[in-house]
Amino acid sequence: MRQITNAPDELWRRLERQLAADRIASLLTLCQDIDAAGGRGLLTGGCVRDVALGYVPRDLDLEVLGVAPDRLRALATARYRVDVVGRHFPVLRLGALGLDVAVPRRRGAAGADFDAGADPHATPAEAAARRDFTIDAIALDPLRHEIVDPCGGLADLAAGRLRHVSERFDEDPVRVLRGMQLLARFELEPAPETLERCRTLSPAGLPRERIFGEWRRLLLEGVRPSRGLHFLRDTGWLAHSPELEALVGCRQDPVWHPEGDVWIHTLHALDA
């Protein structure tokens, strides 16, 4: 079991120490505006995972419940410059804060329109079930200092386990590649049921830039890239990278390469 921080007050104090005071103040102000409008803003995704592990989060993701998209956009633009980004799952980006703001979306909803497919009345548990992995479905309430973790993400994080949240994982096949780079970055092991789920998916139709983004993180941020590539082989996704698949079983001179075939050699080289 790895050591993580799972006490909500300590998580928030750690975030306060890691981020600039004006950024924290602006985040709290926005959450207060959302609260006054009858909603609730929850930090979620990679930022909460990273803080629990002791890392400084690169970006902040705020999921907003209980506020309609047009009202949320008005609240944000009243104080900040806002851009809508994301061609498939659009969010409001508050560049000055390094903050992405989103509303839960209904099953199958995708497109460039921030308002389309939004489900602002989703409960925290319903919103969490629409994310990819349990370790990315942990939420922290900045105002109340409460952890919302209906999928057991903190327990999986402590156990070093990567597990998908629900059957909605299938809605975006790029999540298989996201699993690849998460395994490598945080030295995790995939849950057997997640391996089985990934075997049913295909990258057909995924935009190249989304595929590249996940590979980029594997190679530039991976602590153990071999874990991600083992995952691709175990899920059958190595077949979609024929240049890599060709390395499996490609023999080398055992005098100079006692470690095995070119595939094993490549995994060692990437880890080194």
Side-chain angles (χ1 to χ4, degrees), residues 103-224:
V103 176
R105 297 172 70 83
R106 292 190 295 273
R107 179 182 295 273
D113 187 344
F114 178 70
D115 295 6
D119 185 10
H121 303 297
T123 66
E126 289 170 340
R130 298 169 192 183
R131 304 192 73 85
D132 49 13
F133 299 101
T134 62
I135 63 171
D136 288 338
I138 311 162
L140 175 65
D141 188 324
L143 298 182
R144 299 167 183 83
H145 296 186
E146 295 175 357
I147 290 177
V148 181
D149 184 20
C151 303
L154 285 171
D156 282 342
L157 197 60
R161 179 172 52 238
L162 187 73
R163 182 168 58 91
H164 71 285
V165 168
S166 71
E167 74 280 357
R168 294 198 63 173
F169 182 85
D170 301 6
E171 292 180 7
D172 188 9
V174 83
R175 289 169 168 174
V176 178
L177 298 178
R178 188 166 304 140
M180 169 191 73
Q181 52 99 343
L182 287 172
L183 290 165
R185 288 166 58 203
F186 300 110
E187 299 188 84
L188 307 172
E189 292 290 341
E193 62 269 30
T194 297
L195 283 173
E196 289 297 326
R197 197 98 202 174
C198 292
R199 291 185 183 118
T200 69
L201 303 178
S202 163
L206 286 176
R208 290 182 178 183
E209 63 271 16
R210 299 190 73 210
I211 293 173
F212 174 75
E214 304 301 337
W215 278 97
R216 183 179 186 276
R217 300 201 76 173
L218 169 82
L219 295 173
L220 298 187
E221 301 177 38
V223 177
R224 292 278 302 280

Side-chain angles (χ1 to χ4, degrees), residues 41 49 82 92 101 116 123 125 129 142 153-154 159 168 202 207 213 232 236 238 252:
R49 174 202 67 215
V82 175
L92 302 180
V101 182
T123 66
L154 285 171
R168 294 198 63 173
S202 163
L232 284 195
L238 197 63
Q252 301 185 106

Side-chain angles (χ1 to χ4, degrees), residues 86-110:
R87 287 164 52 184
H88 295 269
F89 300 98
V91 300
L92 302 180
R93 176 159 295 171
L94 283 58
L97 297 183
L99 177 67
D100 286 349
V101 182
V103 176
R105 297 172 70 83
R106 292 190 295 273
R107 179 182 295 273

Side-chain angles (χ1 to χ4, degrees), residues 224-237:
R224 292 278 302 280
S226 61
R227 292 200 177 206
L229 293 183
H230 275 305
F231 178 70
L232 284 195
R233 186 178 180 185
D234 291 343
T235 57
W237 274 54

Side-chain angles (χ1 to χ4, degrees), residues 22-33 72-83 93-99 101:
D22 58 343
R23 195 177 179 192
I24 289 290
S26 296
L27 171 65
L28 289 173
T29 297
L30 177 61
C31 288
Q32 289 163 354
D33 290 344
L72 177 59
R73 192 196 299 252
L75 288 174
T77 54
R79 295 182 183 272
Y80 310 102
R81 176 183 170 180
V82 175
D83 297 304
R93 176 159 295 171
L94 283 58
L97 297 183
L99 177 67
V101 182

